[in-house]
Amino acid sequence: MAIPYKVGLTGGIGCGKTTVAKLFEKLGIAIIDADDISHQLTLPGTPALDEIKATFGTEVFDSSNELNRKALRDKVFKDRTSRKKLEAILHPKVFESIEKKIQDIDTGYCILSIPLLFETDSDDLVDTILVIDCKEELQLERILSRDGITPVIATGIISNQVNREERLNKANEIITNNCALESLENQVQKLHEIYTKRSLSNNQIL
Ligand code: ATP
């Protein structure tokens, strides 16, 4: 089976990656989502969950022995060493799963939604990089209203990610999400046509 053309979709927290991925999905395109995979890999009974317990102890588990994702997020947010330990447990498993899922794709191109594409040096895994960008004040507004976190936590998460300028410099394509959803849909439609052509021309960038 032909290997699909791989579009790496990334962007800062709350810039609209999930919203854009859903629009590609509506067009029939396969989405592989690193966050979803990471969630699946840490469900009860998984090896990653055992490793998390061995590394971080019961303080990141609730009374029914399930992973307390908020407690874990808070812990790794505050402490770089903990974050690196968690990444060492999860990232190899996530990327192994992504590689397996790519084998099952039967659309000409696929979207690999990888929020930490640059931070994990996984640019090489994809054929092109699509960055979802929005103005910083809008980004903050959207995550505050969606996640109910404090501005301090939100700006802390943003500053732990690659900065906006660096991300935009590394992009092959950019969707600007300062707009209403209809305009987002138009941008997705145009890119869909481009990616379809590229996938037809044997993965060559036109
Ligand atoms: P995360 O990094 O946390 O996974 P994300 O990049 O996937 O976030 P979304 O969840 O798609 O971002 O969007 C963040 C919030 O902003 C959501 O509540 C979404 O509904 C809203 N949003 C995204 N784009 C728009 C838009 N164009 N107009 C209005 N609301 C939007």
Side-chain angles (χ1 to χ4, degrees):
M1 199 184 291
I3 298 170
Y5 183 77
K6 290 164 287 188
V7 177
L9 183 153
T10 194
I13 177 173
C15 283
K17 297 177 295 294
T18 310
T19 309
V20 167
K22 281 189 184 143
L23 294 173
F24 278 103
E25 201 170 24
K26 252 173 74 180
L27 296 170
I29 297 308
I31 314 291
I32 297 176
D33 185 311
D35 276 354
D36 281 354
I37 293 174
S38 176
H39 190 90
Q40 295 296 323
L41 287 171
T42 49
L43 289 176
T46 52
L49 202 62
D50 294 341
E51 285 182 56
I52 288 172
K53 190 177 267 178
T55 308
F56 298 102
T58 49
E59 66 176 286
V60 296
F61 285 77
D62 62 24
S63 51
S64 54
N65 207 21
E66 286 202 15
L67 183 62
N68 180 338
R69 291 173 196 276
K70 184 177 178 315
L72 183 61
R73 197 172 53 227
D74 288 351
K75 188 169 179 58
V76 301
F77 167 70
K78 286 186 203 128
D79 172 16
R80 190 172 184 276
T81 310
S82 293
R83 191 166 74 243
K84 291 282 159 206
K85 283 183 185 166
L86 181 63
E87 287 172 1
I89 296 170
L90 287 179
H91 289 173
K93 294 180 176 61
V94 170
F95 285 103
E96 188 188 332
S97 172
I98 289 176
E99 297 278 9
K100 275 195 194 135
K101 285 177 187 288
I102 290 171
Q103 311 297 321
D104 296 332
I105 300 285
D106 57 5
T107 49
Y109 77 93
C110 65
I111 302 283
L112 305 187
S113 177
I114 307 180
L116 301 179
L117 185 81
F118 302 122
E119 293 84 345
T120 54
D121 292 322
S122 30
D123 328 18
D124 286 352
L125 188 66
V126 300
D127 298 306
T128 193
I129 296 172
L130 168 59
V131 167
I132 316 304
D133 179 63
C134 76
K135 285 191 279 193
E136 274 152 0
E137 58 268 29
L138 202 51
Q139 178 186 20
L140 198 56
E141 199 178 289
R142 284 177 181 159
I143 52 180
L144 291 182
S145 75
R146 185 196 58 183
D147 297 344
I149 51 177
T150 65
V152 174
I153 297 265
T155 45
I157 294 173
I158 292 171
S159 66
N160 273 336
Q161 299 186 329
V162 157
N163 75 51
R164 188 178 173 202
E165 195 187 352
E166 190 178 341
R167 200 182 278 121
L168 289 173
N169 280 337
K170 289 182 173 172
N172 298 106
E173 290 86 34
I174 298 167
I175 284 186
T176 306
N177 185 18
N178 299 323
C179 51
L181 290 173
E182 304 83 70
S183 159
L184 205 56
E185 215 157 352
N186 289 336
Q187 295 184 68
V188 168
Q189 181 59 42
K190 282 189 189 129
L191 282 172
H192 174 62
E193 286 158 23
I194 292 171
Y195 294 148
T196 301
K197 272 192 202 148
R198 286 185 195 168
S199 66
L200 290 173
S201 59
N202 203 16
N203 295 356
Q204 293 301 306
I205 293 194
L206 297 178

